[in-house]
Amino acid sequence: MNEDQVAEQFIVDLLQFLKSSKLYTDLFNAAQIEAFKPSLRVSELRKGVQSGLINGGWDRKLRNAIYHYLHTHPQQPTLPDPEHNKEPLLYIRKAQQTWEKKILKSLNSMCTELNIPLARRRAEREQKDMAARWTELGTDGPDLGQIRPVYAPKDFLEVVAGLQNTNYQNSVSNGGSFYNFWGIIQVPVKLKTINQLRVQYSEMSINQCQTGVDDLPDIPSELFDADRAKLGNKVLAANHAPVAREFSKKGCPDSMRGEMWCQMLGVEVDEVDILYYEQLKTCVLQHDLLVDNLLYKDVKLTATNDDHYFVFEDYLYQVLLPFSRDTVILKHFSHNCATPPKSYIRGKLGVEEFAVVYPPNGVIPFHGFAMYVAPLCYVYNDVVTLYHVFRQMYIQYFFRLHSVSSDPQGIVALSLLFEILLQTNEPELFFHLKNVGCQPLKIAFKWLMRAFSGFLASDQVLLLWDRVLSFDSLEILPVFAVAIFSFRKSNLMKVQTYNAAEAVLADVTTLQVVPLLQLALFSK
Amino acid sequence: MSSCCPPPKMARLKYATDFDKSVLLNNFDTRGWVQVSTDDDWNIYWAGVHNIRNIFSVECGFRMGDDQVINHFPNHVELTRKDLMVKNIKRYRKELDKEGSPLAEKDENGRYVHLDFIPLTFMLPADYNLFVEEFRKNPNTTWIMKPCGKARGIGIFLVNKLSQLKKWSRDGKGNSFVAPTAKETYVISKYIDNPLLIGGKKFDLRLYVLVTSFRPLKCYMYRLGFCRFCTVKYNANVSELDNMFVHLTNVSIQKTGEDYNAIHGGKWTVENLRLYLEGTRGKEVSDKLFDDINWLTVHSLKAVAGVISNDRHCFECYGYDIIIDDNLKPWLIEVNASPSLTATTSSDRIMKYNLMSDVCNIVIPPGEFPDVRWNKVPAKENYGNFDLLVDEELAQAELLSQEVKARAGASNATVRGARDLRKPTTWK
């Protein structure tokens, strides 16, 4: 297919997508209303309806819809083999499949050990009871003593560290002993250099005012804050996703963050979304899944013990439990290397007709999963909006942080980017740490996998995620990780053991994200 | 203190204390101060309220020297005892009303527009009949009974039926001319049944306010206050009225609940509260809330400024308990003279340590001996985490200097002074 044909095909796909979306019906109805207006003459039907629609703001909605479609659908021609779309490299695909089998096995064995079914229908009374307690599921939860998380970041790190490109003559799996890279990751993925990152993140450079640095109380507001607020209001009124993105590259003021993120993610909660959430809630009430216990346990282990997030415990259940029943999430597996795990109806093991995806959304939670939702509770206090924003953030960004893939935004590439950047910027530090038996990635990995949630102060996580959304890239995470190591370099150079290094980096809650990022990217 | 020799680098003050709390002692010891007994010549005495009565009592005859400071005002009870606080605030409002001050403006229901920051309160047994009248007007409301002389949530209970108050009705109808002691009096206030809930949970605010002088008023607000959350879900249901875990946020009560978590202790920083409110309700209303909190603090202090003995040896760090309702209006519940110095979590310990340190730096200029002749204007760099709320002396001086400028013809001097005395400027 040559370029023109690719473009044509893309337009055809786009139109098909738009025609089947709710926007089409709404637009059609609005056009009909315009057409009925008495001031319209038949000879000017087309122009009149068009200008009427533009006045009603429909052109913006259409533009937003197209923008979001462009963002979430790759423009390259789809390759013949769908597996290639998920992951082009064979050895990585194999690694992901092995990992998935391992997780599923662990889940199944927990099931048999504790004698809990993977899924079970709830009795009427239990359903009613749960419906009454829906907003306070945190109290009197199930007995979780025997439940363990399926895996934790350090387990996943082992998988990622074990990736070896079988094509390399010198790789360990072929009998060689030569490691191509200093760090843990041995996968040769193409990465951005520091200069490319500087260009990419140029809006954050030191000579530009940023939210998080230049709007602090001790700086007079005329310098930045007042104008920023005015501009922000204009941007919100324009309701156009790319504009919101540009604005947010310098950070969102706290009071505008909610709407900005909704605009960037394309989340507009309407009655259909509210109904959909209610439907998910009913699914939760009707069936009890083992995954629910895992989620409960995760919340109790992480958010409930966190100074910043314990208040929102009940909101987390109201988001996570429906999340695991949401089959819309299955769509993202077309470009995610992972495959949703399958389970079989009791007694029909191996019979494909009785295979179901388990959990319904295909995502098995790990230790710390609840922390993806926790910072969002500072921005949205309506559960339905909170749910939809989280879902969108998951299928656009967070899924990449826990699946094995060669995608430049995937956790493997991010980890490698962290290591290469640290080696380039702070070679003595990296060398020193490696010599004392502390590979820096071992400490930084959990930060990356959780996108720093739970490690930084609540407002700093939000400032960091502003940049993730606005630059549409997770690369800021490894850049920030490098910034932390740079910042604590003098203490780290003194450590002599892995534990001492961990202790130096154990508490990063006092760090300010934006100044550190500016230092790391632009000060050399 | 001689004025010809330069003050020593780190003056070795002598301190006495009634409290064996690490956040205090560590602060004093770090400064190189020496502990002495309460009978010796101390420079700073961190006293408990029970000893204050003795020190200031007429019979005792103890006079403090010029280089001695103490952490309570003699009659602080005018602010810190529940019934006296209410009495003083009511009197203050009436006085402003008589003067015709715009502050005392009332709305069509007779409620004060700017000074309505305490819930409707009556003293029992004295105002029993007034209370009954009010109760009969709105029989479905809940009221909260608090003993005047107790702290930490002891003896508090909720009332929604007159029968629960039989004991006080008998006393009220009596003809006793003996003023009841603090032990026997109760205050009954309208219960705020629409508190702001976060995550579905009720909370109250604990803020620290340092006062170094009442006339002229000099007060400072600590930035790092905290929210105390109830461990159990808030339930306005009548049957839950007896469940103290739901309704009272005092940490000493919450600590014994099943769901109490010792890592965060149910405490949330005020910064997180602000982040949450700005994110979910917007900047204007959240700024207004914090302005209103500053406003009510200042006016509660002005209300008692006339009756507190403004002894120059005294300063006091109050613990203000405030509840926010779901219209984002703050209500002053009570003021504590001896806010707890016990740390329940590690971040709590750090916060209270810093609080004490900042108090010491403001009250006694670092490195110097206390001197009551000092004008009590601390250097800005010693504020630590305190923000100046009001310094009437400075504001007056600024006003005068602006008037001079205005008379001299400076065109850009707007007379902000008068407004400053009444309304603190907006903080970011």
Side-chain angles (χ1 to χ4, degrees):
Chain A
M1 269 188 171
N2 68 7
E3 268 191 32
D4 288 333
Q5 286 176 318
V6 168
E8 246 186 66
Q9 181 61 34
F10 187 76
I11 305 269
V12 166
D13 289 336
L14 170 61
L15 284 175
Q16 202 168 20
F17 170 80
L18 286 175
K19 281 211 175 125
S20 57
S21 75
K22 182 171 176 279
L23 181 61
Y24 184 73
T25 332
D26 287 343
L27 208 50
F28 194 79
N29 288 338
Q32 283 187 318
I33 294 175
E34 290 299 324
F36 272 117
K37 287 219 171 106
S39 52
L40 198 60
R41 286 186 288 181
V42 176
S43 53
E44 291 188 353
L45 185 64
R46 187 195 186 111
K47 257 209 240 159
V49 170
Q50 261 184 344
S51 60
L53 287 175
I54 291 176
N55 284 341
W58 287 98
D59 67 320
R60 254 187 282 133
K61 291 204 178 132
L62 189 58
R63 268 200 236 161
N64 277 335
I66 296 178
Y67 176 78
H68 288 296
Y69 181 85
L70 280 173
H71 238 87
T72 47
H73 291 75
Q75 283 162 313
Q76 295 84 17
T78 53
L79 298 160
D81 179 5
E83 285 297 312
H84 263 95
N85 279 331
K86 288 158 69 84
E87 173 54 57
L89 296 178
L90 190 59
Y91 70 97
I92 295 196
R93 234 188 280 162
K94 283 217 173 95
Q96 171 71 14
Q97 284 165 358
T98 322
W99 171 238
E100 277 165 16
K101 282 206 190 87
K102 216 166 143 197
I103 307 178
L104 205 54
K105 199 164 151 213
S106 167
L107 191 63
N108 278 324
S109 65
M110 195 191 317
C111 246
T112 18
E113 239 178 70
L114 304 177
N115 206 9
I116 312 174
L118 280 177
R120 158 189 84 81
R121 200 182 166 85
R122 276 192 233 268
E124 271 293 328
R125 238 196 69 193
E126 203 188 321
Q127 284 187 36
K128 283 214 183 79
D129 172 62
M130 195 168 185
R133 287 191 308 119
W134 182 251
T135 51
E136 45 187 31
L137 292 169
T139 38
D140 295 335
D143 174 24
L144 300 167
Q146 303 272 43
I147 307 279
R148 307 170 309 274
V150 179
Y151 67 96
K154 62 172 167 33
D155 305 311
F156 191 57
L157 176 58
E158 272 173 33
V159 173
V160 169
L163 290 174
Q164 288 284 339
N165 188 340
T166 46
N167 286 338
Y168 272 34
Q169 204 174 23
N170 291 326
S171 73
V172 175
S173 57
N174 277 352
S177 59
F178 178 66
Y179 283 92
N180 298 304
F181 299 94
W182 264 6
I184 300 182
I185 308 285
Q186 299 296 317
V187 175
V189 180
K190 189 163 196 308
L191 301 167
K192 294 205 171 90
T193 64
I194 181 81
N195 282 325
Q196 286 172 316
L197 286 170
R198 282 197 187 122
V199 171
Q200 176 173 317
Y201 288 108
S202 60
E203 278 86 349
M204 289 195 67
S205 69
I206 301 183
N207 60 350
Q208 310 223 21
C209 288
Q210 304 283 328
T211 306
V213 173
D214 299 291
D215 62 344
L216 293 175
D218 42 349
I219 296 179
S221 70
E222 308 84 55
L223 239 59
F224 173 66
D225 202 31
D227 289 333
R228 186 84 178 148
K230 276 197 224 135
L231 183 60
N233 283 327
K234 276 202 213 147
V235 169
L236 287 177
N239 193 12
H240 194 203
V243 175
R245 273 225 149 89
E246 276 309 308
F247 176 80
S248 303
K249 284 181 179 174
K250 300 206 180 149
C252 299
D254 292 328
S255 47
M256 298 181 192
R257 184 170 279 129
E259 258 200 79
M260 284 287 172
W261 284 17
C262 277
Q263 285 189 15
M264 289 194 277
L265 291 167
V267 172
E268 255 185 65
V269 176
D270 54 16
E271 313 81 42
V272 176
D273 296 316
I274 300 178
L275 268 177
Y276 187 71
Y277 177 79
E278 289 301 315
Q279 202 178 23
L280 290 176
K281 182 174 157 186
T282 323
C283 292
V284 175
L285 295 176
Q286 281 178 346
H287 287 89
D288 179 20
L289 299 180
L290 173 63
V291 167
D292 291 351
N293 289 345
L294 289 174
L295 289 167
Y296 260 109
K297 183 86 182 183
D298 190 43
V299 173
K300 291 282 182 197
L301 283 176
T302 56
T304 321
N305 287 331
D306 189 308
D307 285 36
H308 296 284
Y309 306 114
F310 70 91
V311 177
F312 303 116
E313 184 189 345
D314 294 319
Y315 275 41
L316 297 180
Y317 300 122
Q318 291 175 57
V319 168
L320 289 168
L321 295 182
F323 177 73
S324 58
R325 273 99 171 143
D326 196 345
T327 48
V328 162
I329 292 162
L330 292 176
K331 284 208 209 107
H332 91 282
F333 283 107
S334 61
H335 52 270
N336 181 358
C337 182
T339 323
K342 277 216 261 273
S343 178
Y344 297 92
I345 306 281
R346 189 176 285 248
K348 307 277 186 197
L349 193 66
V351 183
E352 275 311 313
E353 289 144 16
F354 292 93
V356 286
V357 172
Y358 182 88
N361 71 343
V363 179
I364 295 187
F366 56 88
H367 178 60
F369 192 82
M371 296 305 280
Y372 285 143
V373 190
L376 298 173
C377 296
Y378 276 95
V379 191
Y380 302 101
N381 63 352
D382 167 51
V383 181
V384 183
T385 323
L386 179 61
Y387 176 77
H388 284 279
V389 171
F390 168 64
R391 185 178 76 177
Q392 203 57 28
M393 285 195 72
Y394 182 81
I395 55 185
Q396 280 191 15
Y397 303 103
F398 292 147
F399 77 90
R400 300 191 190 277
L401 298 174
H402 56 91
S403 44
V404 183
S405 119
S406 63
D407 189 290
Q409 295 275 321
I411 186 80
V412 178
L414 295 176
S415 307
L416 187 60
L417 181 59
F418 163 74
E419 291 188 317
I420 302 278
L421 271 182
L422 190 59
Q423 287 160 22
T424 332
N425 286 2
E426 307 281 359
E428 333 99 313
L429 177 61
F430 195 99
F431 192 63
H432 172 80
L433 286 174
K434 195 171 149 145
N435 276 346
V436 301
C438 168
Q439 279 279 6
L441 185 62
K442 278 210 181 114
I443 300 179
F445 192 73
K446 56 187 185 297
W447 297 341
L448 298 176
M449 200 166 154
R450 282 220 241 153
F452 285 94
S453 169
F455 298 106
L456 299 173
S458 41
D459 58 335
Q460 298 301 314
V461 174
L462 292 173
L463 284 169
L464 189 62
W465 288 10
D466 280 343
R467 278 34 182 232
V468 168
L469 286 178
S470 55
F471 288 96
D472 194 28
S473 160
L474 290 162
E475 284 153 333
I476 196 103
L477 299 178
V479 172
F480 185 60
V482 170
I484 297 181
F485 273 76
S486 272
F487 188 65
R488 297 233 167 129
K489 178 176 171 182
S490 48
N491 283 342
L492 284 170
M493 289 301 286
K494 295 189 196 138
V495 303
Q496 295 299 323
T497 65
Y498 173 74
N499 288 337
E502 232 188 353
V504 170
L505 294 168
D507 179 13
V508 290
T509 46
T510 47
L511 297 182
Q512 302 268 319
V513 164
V514 183
L516 280 182
L517 280 171
Q518 287 181 321
L519 266 172
L521 282 171
F522 301 108
S523 65
K524 289 213 175 81
Chain B
M1 268 192 62
S2 66
S3 49
C4 51
C5 313
K9 261 282 186 215
M10 280 290 288
R12 289 179 73 80
L13 273 69
K14 298 193 217 128
Y15 71 89
T17 171
D18 288 340
F19 296 96
D20 190 21
K21 296 284 178 191
S22 59
V23 298
L24 265 182
L25 300 177
N26 289 347
N27 257 305
F28 295 153
D29 295 339
T30 319
R31 287 171 167 73
W33 296 356
V34 177
Q35 183 163 19
V36 299
S37 99
T38 56
D39 301 315
D40 284 337
D41 281 333
W42 39 263
N43 294 115
I44 175 168
Y45 181 8
W46 199 275
V49 285
H50 43 279
N51 277 342
I52 288 289
R53 274 181 242 129
N54 295 339
I55 293 182
F56 287 109
S57 79
V58 184
E59 299 103 50
C60 182
F62 173 70
R63 301 279 322 268
M64 282 191 277
D66 281 354
D67 61 348
Q68 293 188 304
V69 288
I70 192 166
N71 67 327
H72 286 294
F73 284 90
N75 56 345
H76 62 80
V77 288
E78 295 284 347
L79 182 60
T80 58
R81 221 178 84 175
K82 302 172 186 60
D83 56 340
L84 295 178
M85 175 189 87
V86 171
K87 190 176 82 142
N88 281 315
I89 290 177
K90 284 186 181 178
R91 177 191 41 79
Y92 174 68
R93 296 196 295 213
K94 281 214 189 77
E95 280 171 5
L96 286 174
D97 203 7
K98 277 205 199 112
E99 280 171 27
S101 161
L103 287 175
E105 186 189 331
K106 288 195 201 162
D107 66 11
E108 57 280 359
N109 294 326
R111 310 258 329 234
Y112 288 97
V113 172
H114 306 292
L115 296 176
D116 184 28
F117 55 81
I118 45 169
L120 189 56
T121 306
F122 298 96
M123 254 68 85
L124 291 182
D127 296 336
Y128 182 79
N129 295 325
L130 288 169
F131 165 70
V132 170
E133 217 186 289
E134 181 66 42
F135 186 82
R136 292 219 171 100
K137 274 195 234 162
N138 303 298
N140 285 328
T141 49
T142 310
W143 297 76
I144 180 163
M145 275 284 276
K146 296 189 247 194
C148 291
K150 304 252 177 59
R152 292 190 293 283
I154 300 172
I156 298 185
F157 59 97
L158 296 177
V159 163
N160 61 347
K161 293 195 281 281
L162 273 180
S163 53
Q164 292 166 288
L165 297 177
K166 275 205 199 102
K167 178 169 181 286
W168 286 269
S169 72
R170 281 199 300 269
D171 291 342
K173 287 185 189 141
N175 275 328
S176 57
F177 284 80
V178 179
T181 62
K183 283 211 190 87
E184 296 153 8
T185 46
Y186 275 68
V187 287
I188 185 162
S189 317
K190 190 126 182 311
Y191 186 65
I192 295 164
D193 53 12
N194 63 335
L196 175 68
L197 300 179
I198 298 187
K201 299 191 178 73
K202 178 177 157 159
F203 69 98
D204 79 343
L205 268 183
R206 160 53 64 91
L207 297 173
Y208 295 102
V209 178
L210 171 65
V211 179
T212 52
S213 155
F214 274 95
R215 293 186 303 274
L217 182 61
K218 290 172 193 268
C219 53
Y220 307 82
M221 170 75 84
Y222 202 58
R223 258 180 252 150
L224 305 180
F226 53 90
C227 307
R228 297 178 293 208
F229 277 86
C230 287
T231 51
V232 178
K233 221 38 194 287
Y234 179 73
N235 187 334
N237 199 318
V238 171
S239 61
E240 289 284 353
L241 282 181
D242 282 335
N243 185 345
M244 282 296 115
F245 296 118
V246 175
H247 293 280
L248 297 182
T249 51
N250 298 75
V251 175
S252 45
I253 291 195
Q254 294 293 325
K255 251 169 134 162
T256 55
E258 259 176 28
D259 285 322
Y260 179 77
N261 181 309
I263 295 183
H264 50 70
K267 292 183 182 172
W268 217 36
T269 60
V270 162
E271 292 161 334
N272 276 337
L273 173 66
R274 197 165 199 151
L275 178 65
Y276 172 81
L277 287 177
E278 275 194 29
T280 55
R281 299 264 201 146
K283 193 158 162 58
E284 297 82 38
V285 295
S286 132
D287 281 347
K288 178 167 190 308
L289 169 67
F290 286 96
D291 268 354
D292 286 346
I293 290 176
N294 288 337
W295 175 263
L296 80 77
T297 307
V298 170
H299 284 284
S300 64
L301 292 171
K302 282 188 193 258
V304 297
V307 292
I308 296 252
S309 338
N310 196 37
D311 190 326
R312 285 194 72 93
H313 300 93
C314 303
F315 67 92
E316 208 153 13
C317 180
Y318 297 106
Y320 268 66
D321 288 344
I322 293 175
I323 285 194
I324 307 175
D325 71 15
D326 62 16
N327 298 317
L328 291 197
K329 183 179 160 70
W331 295 95
L332 177 60
I333 301 301
E334 69 169 342
V335 180
N336 290 291
S338 277
S340 162
L341 294 174
T342 317
T344 51
T345 68
S346 58
S347 26
D348 202 33
R349 181 181 311 277
I350 297 174
M351 188 274 282
K352 286 185 175 153
Y353 176 88
N354 287 333
L355 172 66
M356 288 298 112
S357 175
D358 292 339
V359 167
C360 289
N361 288 344
I362 289 185
V363 169
I364 306 175
E368 294 178 20
F369 279 94
D371 185 350
V372 291
R373 294 163 296 175
W374 178 47
N375 66 355
K376 298 204 180 191
V377 179
K380 282 223 163 66
E381 55 264 18
N382 293 331
Y383 281 13
N385 288 307
F386 273 102
D387 286 320
L388 174 66
L389 268 184
V390 162
D391 186 329
E392 276 178 351
E393 196 178 0
L394 284 183
Q396 195 66 27
E398 203 186 302
L399 184 61
L400 283 172
S401 78
Q402 280 177 342
E403 274 177 13
V404 168
K405 274 196 213 140
R407 264 186 251 131
S411 53
N412 58 354
T414 49
V415 185
R416 290 183 303 117
R419 262 202 298 132
D420 275 344
L421 285 175
R422 280 170 28 191
K423 190 171 176 67
T425 48
T426 303
W427 277 268
K428 287 188 96 176

